Amino acid sequence: SRSIISYILLITIPYLALDAFIEYFIPVYTLNYGLNVEEISLLIVIYYMCRSFLSTSTTKFINSRFKKWSIYISSSISFLALSLFAYLPILPILIITTFLLGIGASFGNTVNIEYFLSQDIVKKYGEQKSMDIYSFIRNTGYSIGPIIFGLILSFGASLGILIFVMVAFVFLLI
């Protein structure tokens, strides 16, 4: 289905590429500030703690209030966080960016899956088979994420991140 392919290419893959920022960019970038492995790990833990501990409450809150707009809110929080860091790439802003990305991911993953499962073609195909396909897509997205972020950073950290945010935002609006 065209809508599913568009959803995968224009929403899911860019969203999954954000994990590459956390898992690959942050460790490399923070080494320039002289942070040690433990301090870098704490930054990454901030993201995953926000993502895990806020998941249930933020998902319920956002979904109950904004329903179909939840996917846009999650992406907007992530895009805002990356834009903030691209505009002012300093360590304190990176910490704030990591926190905001964690908040966006806390309900964003659930919202992405719910949106995928709400498609008529997915309902016709069956939830289990559709989730198998979605898992394959997620794994592909996680594999492509570092490549996407590598290409983005070839433009320089700030400019590359801004380009990614602008392209991903346009994809979200399509």
Side-chain angles (χ1 to χ4, degrees):
S1 162
R2 184 174 179 226
S3 65
I4 296 298
I5 292 171
S6 297
Y7 167 75
I8 291 164
L9 294 176
L10 303 178
I11 295 176
T12 302
I13 299 294
Y15 191 80
L16 294 174
L18 292 174
D19 279 346
F21 178 83
I22 297 295
E23 294 175 11
Y24 298 100
F25 178 77
I26 286 179
V28 171
Y29 187 81
T30 52
L31 283 174
N32 292 333
Y33 281 100
L35 271 67
N36 61 37
V37 174
E38 291 83 12
E39 293 165 330
I40 295 169
S41 296
L42 285 175
L43 263 177
I44 296 170
V45 166
I46 288 171
Y47 169 78
Y48 283 106
M49 286 184 71
C50 289
R51 187 174 166 167
S52 298
F53 292 129
L54 296 175
S55 179
T56 304
S57 59
T58 55
T59 300
K60 285 180 185 176
F61 176 78
I62 297 293
N63 273 346
S64 69
R65 303 243 181 339
F66 301 104
K67 311 251 186 274
K68 69 177 186 175
W69 294 100
S70 300
I71 196 166
Y72 298 105
I73 294 169
S74 169
S75 296
S76 296
I77 290 171
S78 300
F79 298 155
L80 172 69
L82 286 176
S83 298
L84 179 65
F85 177 72
Y87 179 72
L88 195 58
I90 58 174
L91 190 57
I93 298 299
L94 181 60
I95 295 167
I96 293 168
T97 297
T98 304
F99 182 72
L100 289 172
L101 287 172
I103 291 171
S106 70
F107 64 95
N109 292 330
T110 304
V111 167
N112 271 315
I113 292 169
E114 287 175 357
Y115 181 82
F116 178 77
L117 291 174
S118 72
Q119 302 296 310
D120 290 334
I121 190 78
V122 171
K123 290 177 184 175
K124 289 178 187 174
Y125 196 66
E127 190 172 305
Q128 184 58 49
K129 288 181 182 178
S130 297
M131 284 309 297
D132 291 343
I133 293 169
Y134 187 82
S135 293
F136 174 76
I137 293 163
R138 283 179 61 95
N139 291 335
T140 302
Y142 286 133
S143 299
I144 293 172
I147 296 168
I148 292 171
F149 240 90
L151 291 171
I152 288 166
L153 295 178
S154 68
F155 292 99
S158 292
L159 179 60
I161 291 171
L162 281 176
I163 290 170
F164 172 78
V165 167
M166 288 187 293
V167 169
F169 189 72
V170 168
F171 283 173
L172 184 65
L173 295 177
I174 292 178

